[in-house]
Amino acid sequence: MGEGICDYTKFSVDLRRHMWMAGVETELRRLIWQIAVTGKYISAKIHESNRKLAGFQNIYGEDQLSLDRSADEILKNQLQFSGFVREYASEEQAQVVKIGTGKEKYFITADPLDGSSLVDSNLSMGTIIGIHHEKVFGEGGKTMVAALYITYGPLITMVYSAGKGAHEFVLNREGEYVLSHENIRLKERGSIYSLGGLRRDWLPEHLRYVEYLEAEGYKLRYSGGFVPDINQVLIKNGGIFMYPALKKEPKGKLRLLFELQPMAFIMEQAGGCASNGVEDILSLKVEDLGQRCPIYIGSRFEVDKAKEYLQGKN
Ligand code: AHG
Ligand code: MN
Ligand code: MN
């Protein structure tokens, strides 16, 4: 990592200009920029951790690394400092945290460091953010005005959407986010699939759908990190990511509020879609913070086909 990346005084003119040209409202622009810059701090922590898996348990009884905690703390502090955020809902916190004075415009959801258990094997991880203009409970995805994710891989990249397409930026050696893909568009049909959960735990409808994809010659591309796996579908312009209902976990593994709805927002902005097999992910109401949900997300053809299989029409 060059010194530039950790130079927090850089302004990422390209990113700011892009949002300004796209007509993104001033406070939202500043907020997205602030979160992108926070990615540099989180990345510095990943380097500092020296790939150590220090164990705690999170509120869901899952292994939580000190890295998860640090990423959460960094993000919360930066958002508080921005002055634009009223409440912060994080996968790492049991409750929504009030971080503003009550007058700020935005409500944030965060998975501060998704895939942190991949740190020892040096696979990519990511930060997932949803930005809402109202409280995050109740209307689910309908209150979302923007979403973004950051990937910590061989390069740090950031994809954002403020409802006007999905755009990717790469953090360069000088520490500036530079536009790399404007208006990412998915093809109607892709050629890769990515899927979690053990085969022996899948339900028969899902198994038949996967057999269909395999027979059609789709290539398996799964890293076990939600952010890079979704990013692959986006940047390769098509395909599908799925984490299905499991026999003992009918709601699957991934979380609606922190993980699925922000990615569904971005995917829709790129011309793709996201479903739980029956309903659109963004139309689902969020009743509790940790709510899980099966997901089929990516190109329209593959998601529609998944719905046919899951609803027993195939
Ligand atoms: P988190 O690190 O926030 O707990 O999430 C990990 C997720 C996600 O990155 C990935 O898609 C999924 O867990 C992988 O699950 P499996 O290990 O069951 O494949
Ligand atoms: Mn996660
Ligand atoms: Mn997490």
Side-chain angles (χ1 to χ4, degrees):
M1 186 168 68
E3 266 181 35
I5 283 181
C6 269
D7 182 347
Y8 305 119
T9 63
K10 297 286 181 180
F11 290 111
S12 288
V13 175
D14 218 27
L15 169 61
R16 291 173 16 156
R17 189 193 300 121
H18 186 270
M19 291 192 282
W20 182 72
M21 299 279 281
V24 180
E25 178 275 312
T26 315
E27 290 191 7
L28 187 54
R29 250 169 29 218
R30 293 203 181 144
L31 182 55
I32 292 172
W33 173 73
Q34 180 93 43
I35 297 168
V37 171
T38 304
K40 298 189 196 184
Y41 291 79
I42 295 177
S43 138
K45 273 282 167 198
I46 295 171
H47 279 254
E48 220 176 82
S49 79
N50 205 13
R51 305 195 297 162
K52 278 204 198 71
L53 298 160
F56 301 97
Q57 293 242 302
N58 71 7
I59 49 166
Y60 307 104
E62 297 164 341
D63 288 337
Q64 183 191 39
L65 311 181
S66 60
L67 254 183
D68 288 303
R69 290 188 171 185
S70 314
D72 183 54
E73 198 60 22
I74 291 169
L75 197 52
K76 183 165 72 64
N77 291 340
Q78 287 294 309
L79 291 172
Q80 190 153 27
F81 174 68
S82 78
F84 304 126
V85 182
R86 202 181 308 178
E87 291 181 7
Y88 172 69
S90 162
E91 198 184 270
E92 304 304 332
Q93 312 253 0
Q95 267 140 20
V96 177
V97 187
K98 291 193 181 7
I99 58 173
T101 60
K103 296 204 180 89
E104 296 79 2
K105 212 166 179 176
Y106 296 111
F107 298 78
I108 298 284
T109 70
D111 185 350
L113 192 59
D114 181 83
S116 49
S117 64
L118 299 172
V119 70
D120 56 351
S121 49
N122 197 26
L123 284 164
S124 298
M125 295 168 270
T127 296
I128 311 168
I129 303 287
I131 305 177
H132 297 249
H133 64 74
E134 277 171 46
K135 288 199 175 298
V136 293
F137 286 117
E139 293 309 310
K142 288 193 190 128
T143 56
M144 203 180 296
V145 291
L148 67 93
Y149 65 79
I150 300 167
T151 54
Y152 308 100
L155 295 175
I156 294 176
T157 64
M158 193 277 293
V159 173
Y160 91 92
S161 176
K164 292 169 182 166
H167 317 284
E168 188 205 50
F169 292 77
V170 177
L171 192 65
N172 71 10
R173 290 166 71 93
E174 282 72 51
E176 301 273 354
Y177 279 99
V178 177
L179 184 62
S180 44
H181 277 89
E182 188 166 35
N183 234 340
I184 304 166
R185 298 304 293 168
L186 293 196
K187 291 176 286 194
E188 178 70 18
R189 183 173 183 170
S191 56
I192 55 173
Y193 72 110
S194 189
L195 83 178
L198 291 180
R199 205 173 184 102
R200 65 172 188 212
D201 297 333
W202 294 344
L203 300 171
E205 297 78 11
H206 174 77
L207 179 61
R208 275 200 295 279
Y209 174 56
V210 175
E211 284 168 352
Y212 160 80
L213 292 172
E214 288 166 351
E216 287 285 304
Y218 281 77
K219 280 188 194 159
L220 176 61
R221 291 286 181 266
Y222 187 65
S223 77
F226 184 51
V227 179
D229 285 334
I230 289 287
N231 191 55
Q232 174 146 239
V233 172
L234 265 180
I235 299 300
K236 300 285 187 196
N237 303 106
I240 186 164
F241 173 93
M242 50 207 145
Y243 205 107
L246 303 174
K247 283 177 191 155
K248 287 188 190 143
E249 303 284 354
K251 298 203 161 158
K253 177 178 184 193
L254 298 176
R255 295 183 184 92
L256 193 54
L257 186 63
F258 304 118
E259 293 163 320
L260 305 186
Q261 288 188 330
M263 290 307 200
F265 186 94
I266 292 170
M267 201 59 91
E268 283 194 8
Q269 285 293 320
C273 54
S275 169
N276 63 359
V278 181
E279 290 168 284
D280 281 353
I281 291 293
L282 286 175
S283 73
L284 297 171
K285 295 212 159 122
V286 176
E287 270 134 24
D288 78 272
L289 281 181
Q291 195 171 323
R292 295 168 195 269
C293 184
I295 183 148
Y296 295 80
I297 179 170
S299 300
R300 291 200 166 271
F301 176 85
E302 285 87 342
V303 175
D304 286 346
K305 196 53 112 184
K307 283 159 81 175
E308 285 175 25
Y309 274 89
L310 292 162
Q311 292 171 30
K313 296 179 190 154
N314 237 316

